[in-house]
Amino acid sequence: MSETAYERVKLARDSKRPTGLDYIKNIFKDFIEFHGDRRYADDPAIVGGIAKLNNTPVTVIAIEKGHSTKERTYRNFGMPQPEGYRKALRLMKQAEKFGRPIICIVDTSGAYCGIGAEERGQGQAIAENLLEMSTLCVPVISILIGEGGSGGALALAVADRVWMLQNAVYSVISPEGCASILWKDSVKAETAAESLKLTAEDAKSLGVIERILSENDIGKKEFYDRIRTLLTEELKELSGNIDLTQNRYDRFRNLGVSAVVKE
């Protein structure tokens, strides 16, 4: 257990942490990857397709950072472009059509903010995901396994259940970016990290997530087996819910609501 929020940020960014593909390979079986957004290109930063969770067909979508420098460069360091989010949305709508639950695995410092991405509608792509995910008629579970940066992460996290690993982080901006804006000094990133309330415990106390996953055996077979079991149990519960969209709407409307003192 890390002592400070910024230490959590460093752990979340560790290149040795399991990435999205590691989770796909060890939790699911018979994974078939789909490519392209049918508009512009394929984005290697987002990996998606169909697979089986035990014997249940599911759609899996993961933001992939890669481990080595070569892999990370190819995956754009896990920073998706508009075509990545559009590919993800295409797979979600396909999952809805065929009644497949959706599992999203999130690990990104944020959406790519290059000129090309902005020209191709980065903001619109993210906004469309937020809107469409809120109305999906199939169960959606999102797991933050490392960094959960701003709208780039939220675009795959408008879900019925959101989980975080013990040392994952979830925030509107990076500590360095926040420090640069507030104090004009990125050296104060540690102070910013504490103020952002970005740890899993912070998110749980604020109702932003439902579950914190222990990292005691991270990367081991027991770790993946435990997550597979939890996903199976959660999907079974969600599959019995007759009004997913209303519950999802209520979930997000209730975030940040303060207690009201009745007169």
Side-chain angles (χ1 to χ4, degrees):
M1 183 73 71
S2 302
E3 294 181 359
T4 69
Y6 198 56
E7 286 174 339
R8 295 288 187 92
V9 173
K10 292 178 180 177
L11 287 171
R13 293 172 175 171
D14 192 341
S15 63
K16 295 179 182 178
R17 287 178 72 84
T19 64
L21 277 174
D22 294 321
Y23 286 81
I24 291 175
K25 292 175 182 177
N26 288 282
I27 294 176
F28 306 93
K29 60 183 180 180
D30 300 332
F31 177 67
I32 301 174
E33 184 178 356
F34 294 163
H35 297 273
D37 66 343
R38 302 296 187 265
R39 296 189 190 181
Y40 180 76
D42 185 49
D43 184 359
I46 291 187
V47 177
I50 57 176
K52 286 184 178 178
L53 178 66
N54 294 321
N55 293 316
T56 302
V58 296
T59 290
V60 185
I61 302 167
I63 300 178
E64 172 64 22
K65 281 186 174 180
H67 290 288
S68 66
T69 301
K70 183 178 180 179
E71 289 175 350
R72 290 198 160 206
T73 301
Y74 173 65
R75 303 288 181 183
N76 200 31
F77 297 86
M79 294 183 289
Q81 309 215 34
E83 46 271 22
Y85 291 115
R86 290 177 179 134
K87 172 172 66 174
L89 181 56
R90 178 173 74 84
L91 297 181
M92 291 180 200
K93 298 301 287 185
Q94 182 194 76
E96 182 179 45
K97 178 179 179 179
F98 291 101
R100 290 191 298 265
I102 300 167
I103 311 295
C104 295
I105 301 170
V106 181
D107 184 14
T108 180
S109 59
Y112 186 60
C113 57
I115 294 176
E118 297 298 335
E119 289 176 338
R120 296 193 303 278
Q122 183 72 287
Q124 182 182 23
I126 292 173
E128 287 178 346
N129 276 33
L130 303 182
L131 174 63
E132 294 293 339
M133 287 188 76
S134 68
T135 62
L136 289 171
C137 296
V138 292
V140 184
I141 299 176
S142 295
I143 308 174
L144 284 85
I145 62 170
E147 287 186 279
S150 193
L154 188 60
L156 292 183
V158 180
D160 301 292
R161 299 288 185 272
V162 181
W163 301 348
M164 284 179 69
L165 263 65
Q166 178 181 339
N167 291 316
V169 294
Y170 199 12
S171 66
V172 70
I173 192 173
S174 70
E176 294 83 2
C178 178
S180 295
I181 292 171
L182 293 183
W183 298 290
K184 312 300 181 187
D185 186 357
S186 61
V187 174
K188 294 189 176 182
E190 187 167 352
T191 302
E194 294 292 341
S195 300
L196 284 168
K197 302 297 180 184
L198 45 66
T199 68
E201 288 80 9
D202 290 328
K204 182 72 161 53
S205 68
L206 294 170
V208 174
I209 66 170
E210 281 75 32
R211 187 188 296 270
I212 299 174
L213 302 173
S214 170
E215 295 189 19
N216 290 338
D217 50 0
I218 190 169
K220 297 181 180 178
K221 180 180 181 299
E222 295 77 12
F223 173 75
Y224 296 114
D225 288 347
R226 177 161 50 87
I227 295 179
R228 186 189 304 111
T229 298
L230 291 173
L231 284 172
T232 302
E233 293 173 350
E234 196 73 73
L235 285 180
K236 184 177 180 180
E237 180 179 336
L238 289 172
S239 296
N241 192 327
I242 62 173
D243 200 348
L244 287 170
T245 54
Q246 183 62 51
N247 284 2
R248 195 179 303 134
Y249 174 83
D250 292 339
R251 178 190 186 278
F252 282 90
R253 287 291 292 175
N254 289 329
L255 294 183
V257 175
S258 301
V260 177
V261 179
K262 294 182 179 180
E263 295 183 358

